[in-house]
Amino acid sequence: MSDEIIRAENLSKEYVQGDVRVGALQDVSLEVRTGEFIVIVGPSGSGKSTLLNILGGMDVPTSGRVIYAGRDLAELNESELTEYRRSEIGFVFQLYNLMSALTARENVQLATELVSGALDLDEVMEKVGLTDRMEHFPSQMSGGEQQRVAIARALAKNPGVLLCDEPTGALDYETGIRILALLRELNCDYGTTVIIITHNLAVADMGDRMLRMRSGQIVEQRENEEPLPAERIVW
Amino acid sequence: MRALDKRLLRTVDRSRLQFLAIIVVIALGLMALVVLNNAYQNLDGAMSDYYERQSFAHLFSEFVPQPPDYVEGLRDLPEIREAEGRIVTDIRADIGRDIHPELHMVALPEEGDINRPLVLQGHLPGQKDRNEVALLAGFAEENDLQVGDEIDLIVREEAIRVRVSAVVSSPEFLYPITDISRVFAPDNEYYGIAFADLDFAADIVGMPGQVNQATFMVAEGHSLESAEEAVRDAMGGRGLMRVITRDDQLSHYSVSLRTGQLEDLASSIPLIFLAISAVIIYMLLMRMVEADRTVIGVLKAIGYSDGEVLMHYLKYALGMGFVGALLGMVIGHLLVRPVTETFFLEFFDMPLLQVQTDWSLIILGSLLTLVFCVGTGMWATRTVLQITPADAMQPAAPPPGQKNLLERWFPRLWSWLAFTTKLMLRQLLRNKKRFALAVLGVAFAYTLVVLPFYMLGILDAIVFEQFDEFEVYDYAVSFNEPISEAGIAQIREEADLKQIEPLIEYPFEARNGWRNETVPVRALPEGGTLQRFQNARGQRISIPTSGVLVCEYMAGALNVGPGDDVLLSSHITDEHEHHIPVKDVIRQDLGSGMYVSHQTMQAMTGDGDAYTGAFVQSTDDIRYRLRHAFNVKSITSVDQMVEGIDEMMGLVIALCTILVLMGGVFAFAILFNIATVGIMERTREFSSMRVLGYDRKSIYHIILHENILATIFGLILGAPMGHMTFVAVVEAFQRTEMIYLPVPFHPGSHVAATMLVCGFVALVMMAVRVKIRNLDLLEALSSRMT
């Protein structure tokens, strides 16, 4: 493992719903090293997605700060934050969120044309195993294929960090395993830092590190000396 | 091409009917901008150039014959730059037909500059021979008269043979009509203009060394009003009959009425069209942004900036604007000539007209479209800026639900309603803004559709009510010299007339305090039946023995009503003022006037029975029977006037059809887009219903009922809106001394407009039905694709 890429210090996040204040994150601190594969597990409402959104610059904490490659995200203005998401972060969503009016290739192109150092589109598509499905629209693809497109879209920008929100949540077991294997492969091949959040405890064993969250706090943190290959995970 | 732009193109392709509907509205707006503004600029420019080149007079005065020195002296007035005396008289001409048409003869001094005719063919009269006349082109063409032909002028019981020396056009007679009742249709067959040499005319009409009219050009730095006042003061008490400004000159008034309307339409119609397209674009984009909430979140998460996302949606609006504007301006450019020629040159004699395109309109049109589309787009998509990627990833919170008013106040009634009806009512009450837009859309379409029907209704009222109810004579005859009762009897006998009612008519100065108006006062026999009157309350009234009936316009201008006195004076009363009580205020749509009994007129003038004209009722054509009655100056046939108006009605109907079709386009564009937005918003809701067992028909019925409700409310709102709009239009443009249009509530127009709007709504519903049939509702339920 090499240097630290993200450091989160004492992150808290509160939402106001009517007269009630709901604490989504409470004093969470975290360090992520370059090239690390982290799995964050926890039940619904434990604050996983909130943490991921804050790390990705999609949301701001109520208190605390996120340092990315030495830069405090709280000090970035709107356009700098956009630039941060554009260049440094790749998102993979549970429900893929592809543009239905665009083909697989065009969905990926949507990301590659944003940055100057993007990976070769064909190479990325080949990497995710979609060379022969490039001209298909999302409606003509299976859930697993759609998620591969979503991963290709996130990866193609050549981001520093890949943030995956329940990437297997909408997939069947076998497809889920294949997606996890792909993410691990990309982590190894490109050195991309990967953070996966999931409620599936079994996935935790494939990460270099596992964080368990409950009620907005990190309640357990464990380094895996020998992470399991995705193919050996069972749930 | 960028991926986002491809998405945009495919979105357009998916919503092509909506896209097309908006494009059509924008195109119509830009087409109207190019056509109407160019037509206006061409006509107005041609008119100004023509007036300038031929020195069209600023002022005209009519007086009892005077020596030319009388007019020359007026050149010394500081307000007057130039003054010319001339002879103007109405005669008849024998041109080899059974009926002798009326000729308005204008005799100009040879060396004069004012109101010079433009020679189209031949030479001006008097240059080679005295016995020559130049004829206005319209009359010459209609009667197949050419340079070199000979005709007989019937003047003072004599037929004087003259040669047609020229065919001309004149700034004074762009629209040659005898009086304002002809404003809708000139009659070139029976009414012509002839120009003659001044000395020749003076000899044949018996005014040697005299003139009876003067024309004036106002000196620089002086207003028309001050010049009019100066002339009136200088000529007052010296046989002055009336002073007319250029604005009140019949031809100029008629042309200006139309160019003025054209100018108003040119500035308002394009804006109305663009405003409507802006409303539709706003609805469409707002809905699109709402539906694309997750897309926007994803784009922002990927790294697209607010500006880039905003631009993505703005391009949609700009695309519609660009295509619509381009289409509208190209078609508009192609239509400028045919529209100008069909709607204007058909009536107006504009020899200098050059149909040109003002290219600055292209810039104006592009800028207007840009402002409307970008402004609307920015306003509609401003929520893009508020969507944070993290929030967008979460499903949108359902809108707050609560019991509606109907449910709270009439629970029993609510419980009886069918489920689909409840669903529809909840939807309407939850989306009040959208429902209000739909209602406004219908109301606006209704207004557009009802306006042309009102126009036709009012024309019908003017033409047919005027001649069926008020002016029920068949012919109006005017005499060269006033004639006695015996003369009337002679005419009755000569022409074998059943009914003839003599009249006396002179221009008078009417005064009430500081208010002062020149008005024709007509004396009619008591108990006469050929001209009838109705007061402002709709009651029939007859000519009072004493006192005067005043038309609505004049009553307003002089601020008099029943019981007030009005002061009347004229050259015929030697300028002596008479106090005459106003008996009632009467309706008069065309022209303005005052009406007294013979007895009252005779008391004012001191003359006995000296009639200047007569109304005649006869089934025979008296124009033929009286063709040798030399004292008859003119005979106007009501039937022929109505025929002329009928001919013109074809053009009016064509114009009205265009307006109705535009209303249809609006109705379709607005309602179809509202319905489509409604369907898009509720795809999941409808999908759930499908799963529960409802079929497509039930879903269609929900939308149908919503539209029916919007249509009913729209019609209820549209009826008064249409009526008030028409009243406003009439009050702004039509209520002048010349035309004072009544605007009664016109049920027939409303029935026709209601039927048409319902027809448009039915068309929309047919398109909506196709849209619902093509929706894959089950896919919408299972998928979360964006």
Side-chain angles (χ1 to χ4, degrees):
Chain A
M1 294 295 157
S2 53
D3 302 337
E4 166 194 288
I5 186 164
I6 299 177
R7 188 169 77 247
E9 294 174 358
N10 311 108
L11 294 179
S12 291
K13 178 73 183 178
E14 280 185 353
Y15 293 105
V16 180
Q17 289 178 343
D19 296 335
V20 184
R21 284 177 175 274
V22 179
L25 277 185
Q26 292 173 41
D27 203 24
V28 169
S29 293
L30 167 73
E31 280 177 17
V32 180
R33 292 180 290 275
T34 305
E36 207 176 3
F37 193 107
I38 296 179
V39 179
I40 303 174
V41 293
S44 293
S46 61
K48 309 185 296 288
S49 294
T50 306
L51 177 61
L52 201 74
N53 288 341
I54 290 173
L55 295 181
M58 296 208 297
D59 204 352
V60 288
T62 311
S63 64
R65 59 182 193 155
V66 175
I67 311 292
Y68 180 89
R71 282 191 304 168
D72 186 347
L73 296 193
E75 288 172 4
L76 303 185
N77 60 27
E78 196 53 45
S79 64
E80 288 168 333
L81 212 52
T82 300
E83 184 56 34
Y84 165 67
R85 287 197 298 268
R86 180 179 291 195
S87 312
E88 308 296 344
I89 304 294
F91 272 101
V92 178
F93 305 99
Q94 178 181 1
L95 291 170
Y96 338 127
N97 288 331
L98 300 180
M99 308 284 157
S100 61
L102 298 180
T103 62
R105 170 194 277 278
E106 289 160 357
N107 264 287
V108 179
Q109 193 191 341
L110 199 63
T112 56
E113 60 194 18
L114 270 180
V115 290
S116 51
L119 299 177
D120 180 67
L121 199 148
D122 292 325
E123 181 196 321
V124 175
M125 293 305 273
E126 192 184 340
K127 196 79 191 165
V128 299
L130 287 175
T131 311
D132 55 345
R133 310 285 282 165
M134 289 213 289
E135 302 309 324
H136 286 67
F137 285 93
S139 60
Q140 299 165 322
M141 301 167 99
S142 68
E145 285 172 329
Q146 289 186 53
Q147 192 59 296
R148 280 164 188 269
V149 177
I151 291 169
R153 183 176 67 185
L155 181 72
K157 292 193 298 178
N158 196 14
V161 179
L162 211 54
L163 301 175
C164 310
D165 187 354
E166 299 276 10
T168 60
L171 302 174
D172 60 65
Y173 170 74
E174 282 165 4
T175 315
I177 292 293
R178 279 202 290 275
I179 290 296
L180 290 172
L182 174 65
L183 287 171
R184 178 50 113 170
E185 190 186 332
L186 298 174
N187 168 249
C188 294
D189 292 356
Y190 293 100
T192 312
T193 306
V194 177
I195 301 175
I196 294 177
I197 61 167
T198 176
H199 63 275
N200 188 347
L201 282 170
V203 180
D205 292 336
M206 72 171 286
D208 298 324
R209 191 151 47 116
M210 180 278 288
L211 305 176
R212 187 198 300 271
M213 292 190 73
R214 190 166 58 214
S215 304
Q217 289 178 313
I218 296 175
V219 293
E220 184 191 347
Q221 200 167 154
R222 172 164 55 89
E223 298 269 352
N224 281 336
E225 292 300 323
E226 287 186 18
L228 277 182
E231 293 80 2
R232 288 178 56 195
I233 297 172
V234 179
W235 68 80
Chain B
M1 185 186 284
R2 287 171 65 91
L4 263 186
D5 295 335
K6 286 182 188 166
R7 178 180 188 265
L8 189 71
L9 286 181
R10 288 181 190 141
T11 308
V12 169
D13 187 45
R14 275 185 193 173
S15 57
R16 50 184 174 270
L17 200 52
Q18 284 169 282
F19 197 82
L20 193 71
I22 297 171
I23 282 177
V24 170
V25 177
I26 296 175
L28 283 174
L30 270 292
M31 198 177 80
L33 179 89
V34 172
V35 172
L36 297 177
N37 278 288
N38 274 313
Y40 169 70
Q41 285 177 18
N42 285 331
L43 285 168
D44 194 56
M47 190 166 78
S48 302
D49 288 351
Y50 195 29
Y51 283 179
E52 183 71 32
R53 186 171 145 175
Q54 305 304 120
S55 301
F56 179 44
H58 293 122
L59 281 176
F60 299 77
S61 73
E62 293 172 17
F63 41 84
V64 293
Q66 303 280 349
D69 303 352
Y70 173 74
V71 176
E72 278 158 23
L74 296 168
R75 288 186 188 139
D76 297 336
L77 291 172
E79 291 85 356
I80 298 302
R81 172 161 59 90
E82 218 175 314
E84 281 179 16
R86 62 184 196 171
I87 292 173
V88 178
T89 186
D90 289 319
I91 57 174
R92 286 187 297 154
D94 185 347
I95 56 169
R97 286 175 20 199
D98 286 348
I99 294 166
H100 297 157
E102 184 182 346
L103 272 188
H104 184 69
M105 190 169 72
V106 181
L108 303 169
E110 199 180 340
E111 68 286 1
D113 287 323
I114 303 176
N115 291 354
R116 299 315 287 175
L118 180 74
V119 178
L120 303 175
Q121 216 187 333
H123 61 269
L124 283 177
Q127 289 179 359
K128 292 184 181 166
D129 187 358
R130 272 165 49 93
N131 289 35
E132 288 178 333
V133 289
L135 295 177
L136 201 69
F139 177 77
E141 277 164 29
E142 191 72 33
N143 290 288
D144 200 23
L145 291 169
Q146 277 138 23
V147 173
D149 287 352
E150 290 191 333
I151 61 172
D152 286 338
L153 304 182
I154 301 167
V155 193
R156 299 167 71 210
E157 306 189 10
E158 258 188 89
I160 299 152
R161 180 138 299 192
V162 292
R163 206 173 68 85
V164 178
S165 72
V167 172
V168 298
S169 172
S170 163
E172 197 180 345
F173 303 103
L174 298 180
Y175 193 72
I177 52 174
T178 43
D179 57 63
I180 193 63
S181 65
R182 295 291 186 110
V183 72
F184 298 114
D187 177 10
N188 283 325
E189 191 182 352
Y190 292 100
Y191 179 74
I193 310 294
F195 294 91
D197 172 63
L198 185 60
D199 293 338
F200 169 68
D203 285 349
I204 63 171
V205 300
M207 284 187 213
Q210 287 180 313
V211 290
N212 66 352
Q213 257 200 23
T215 50
F216 305 92
M217 301 302 288
V218 175
E220 250 179 65
H222 293 275
S223 69
L224 201 58
E225 290 73 25
S226 64
E228 181 190 4
E229 202 56 45
V231 168
R232 205 183 285 278
D233 288 347
M235 298 180 90
R238 297 168 65 193
L240 176 68
M241 285 150 78
R242 59 178 182 161
V243 179
I244 305 168
T245 65
R246 181 191 273 193
D247 294 341
D248 292 329
Q249 197 263 349
L250 269 177
S251 161
H252 178 74
Y253 172 81
S254 307
V255 181
S256 303
L257 189 70
R258 281 166 175 84
T259 52
Q261 286 166 342
L262 189 61
E263 187 185 14
D264 294 326
L265 288 176
S267 55
S268 58
I269 293 269
L271 292 180
I272 291 173
F273 276 70
L274 285 175
I276 288 172
S277 58
V279 171
I280 307 173
I281 291 174
Y282 174 79
M283 280 163 42
L284 200 64
L285 281 184
M286 199 171 70
R287 169 62 207 142
M288 202 181 263
V289 167
E290 276 168 26
D292 278 359
R293 191 168 165 272
T294 313
V295 172
I296 294 164
V298 170
L299 289 173
K300 288 189 178 181
I302 289 173
Y304 280 87
S305 65
D306 283 345
E308 284 166 321
V309 180
L310 205 65
M311 199 58 208
H312 175 57
Y313 293 98
L314 279 185
K315 277 180 188 170
Y316 189 78
L318 279 173
M320 288 188 281
F322 176 75
V323 179
L326 190 69
L327 212 65
M329 290 194 282
V330 169
I331 298 173
H333 175 68
L334 296 174
L335 285 178
V336 172
R337 182 176 291 277
V339 166
T340 310
E341 285 175 355
T342 310
F343 288 97
F344 299 98
L345 287 195
E346 183 79 10
F347 299 107
F348 302 133
D349 180 22
M350 293 266 197
L352 300 187
L353 182 76
Q354 285 182 322
V355 180
Q356 292 169 331
T357 300
D358 177 1
W359 296 107
S360 69
L361 285 170
I362 304 291
I363 299 169
L364 177 71
S366 308
L367 278 176
L368 273 176
T369 314
L370 195 72
V371 167
F372 269 87
C373 291
V374 172
T376 312
M378 296 276 274
W379 184 248
T381 55
R382 66 194 188 284
T383 48
V384 164
L385 305 174
Q386 293 153 10
I387 296 174
T388 64
D391 289 341
M393 295 303 122
Q394 307 296 323
Q402 58 175 21
K403 288 188 174 180
N404 59 51
L405 292 179
L406 195 65
E407 217 172 338
R408 272 180 283 167
W409 293 351
F410 306 102
R412 283 178 74 93
L413 175 67
W414 182 258
S415 66
W416 289 336
L417 295 176
F419 172 71
T420 46
T421 312
K422 284 180 185 171
L423 198 67
M424 177 196 79
L425 289 173
R426 276 198 201 284
Q427 189 63 28
L428 294 186
L429 294 166
R430 188 177 278 183
N431 292 296
K432 293 184 193 76
K433 206 161 101 182
R434 203 177 60 210
F435 183 67
L437 271 177
V439 170
L440 271 178
V442 175
F444 196 82
Y446 184 94
T447 302
L448 275 176
V449 172
V450 85
L451 286 182
F453 282 108
Y454 255 80
M455 205 157 89
L456 287 172
I458 295 295
L459 276 179
D460 189 67
I462 290 176
V463 177
F464 299 105
E465 198 177 68
Q466 180 92 359
F467 298 116
D468 287 351
E469 301 290 328
F470 300 140
E471 295 180 27
V472 293
Y473 50 83
D474 295 315
Y475 297 94
V477 183
S478 65
F479 306 124
N480 284 315
E481 299 293 335
I483 63 171
S484 64
E485 192 72 60
I488 294 287
Q490 194 184 340
I491 287 175
R492 179 187 280 125
E493 197 176 314
E494 264 179 41
D496 192 19
L497 302 176
K498 285 188 190 118
Q499 194 175 357
I500 179 166
E501 289 181 0
L503 59 92
I504 309 163
E505 185 170 325
Y506 290 109
F508 273 73
E509 284 292 312
R511 198 159 65 81
N512 177 33
W514 56 269
R515 293 180 172 87
N516 189 32
E517 294 283 333
T518 301
V519 57
V521 176
R522 181 180 291 171
L524 295 162
E526 277 177 70
T529 56
L530 297 184
Q531 179 161 17
R532 300 170 185 163
F533 301 98
Q534 196 182 64
N535 65 16
R537 297 178 301 284
Q539 295 162 324
R540 278 279 164 82
I541 47 173
S542 48
I543 277 288
T545 309
S546 62
V548 62
L549 301 178
V550 181
C551 74
E552 276 177 293
Y553 173 82
M554 207 42 81
L558 292 169
N559 193 29
V560 292
D564 294 336
D565 269 8
V566 65
L567 287 169
L568 293 177
S569 63
S570 164
H571 69 282
I572 207 85
T573 68
D574 293 330
E575 312 304 334
H576 181 71
E577 282 190 332
H578 295 266
H579 286 259
I580 311 288
V582 175
K583 287 292 178 189
D584 216 333
V585 174
I586 55 160
R587 269 188 58 191
Q588 184 171 355
D589 304 339
L590 294 177
S592 58
M594 292 187 180
Y595 302 86
V596 295
S597 64
H598 283 165
Q599 196 182 328
T600 306
M601 179 66 93
Q602 283 158 356
M604 286 194 292
T605 61
D607 289 342
D609 51 348
Y611 302 111
T612 59
F615 292 142
V616 173
Q617 203 166 39
S618 169
T619 47
D620 299 321
D621 194 338
I622 68 161
R623 288 174 299 179
Y624 178 69
R625 289 193 180 179
L626 291 176
R627 68 190 184 283
H628 299 304
F630 291 115
N631 194 32
V632 170
K633 186 166 76 174
S634 69
I635 304 172
T636 306
S637 157
V638 168
D639 274 355
Q640 205 187 320
M641 204 186 301
V642 172
E643 264 173 42
I645 294 170
D646 272 349
E647 274 173 32
M648 192 242 358
M649 288 294 259
L651 202 61
V652 174
I653 288 168
L655 199 67
C656 290
T657 310
I658 294 172
L659 281 176
V660 167
L661 286 177
M662 280 181 181
V665 170
F666 282 143
F668 189 87
I670 294 174
L671 292 178
F672 180 69
N673 275 290
I674 287 173
T676 307
V677 165
I679 295 168
M680 279 161 69
E681 264 178 14
R682 293 147 69 193
T683 310
R684 275 168 177 271
E685 188 178 308
F686 291 150
S687 305
S688 306
M689 289 176 66
R690 291 292 311 280
V691 172
L692 288 171
Y694 286 88
D695 57 7
R696 288 181 197 277
K697 210 169 150 187
S698 314
I699 289 161
Y700 172 71
H701 278 156
I702 292 175
I703 303 274
L704 177 69
H705 289 150
E706 283 177 16
N707 274 282
I708 288 175
L709 214 59
T711 306
I712 292 170
F713 280 106
L715 292 176
I716 292 169
L717 181 67
M721 215 166 107
H723 180 77
M724 287 188 308
T725 307
F726 193 76
V727 170
V729 169
V730 165
E731 282 187 353
F733 308 124
Q734 305 277 12
R735 293 210 157 165
T736 64
E737 190 175 351
M738 302 278 196
I739 301 176
Y740 195 82
L741 294 182
V743 189
F745 191 77
H746 198 255
S749 299
H750 290 280
V751 172
T754 301
M755 284 167 67
L756 272 170
V757 170
C758 288
F760 296 142
V761 173
L763 274 179
V764 170
M765 289 318 298
M766 281 161 71
V768 166
R769 193 178 192 132
V770 173
K771 195 146 190 97
I772 289 179
R773 203 167 50 218
N774 293 338
L775 269 183
D776 192 344
L777 299 169
L778 295 180
E779 185 191 300
L781 193 64
S782 59
S783 144
R784 201 194 156 199
M785 283 190 303
T786 53

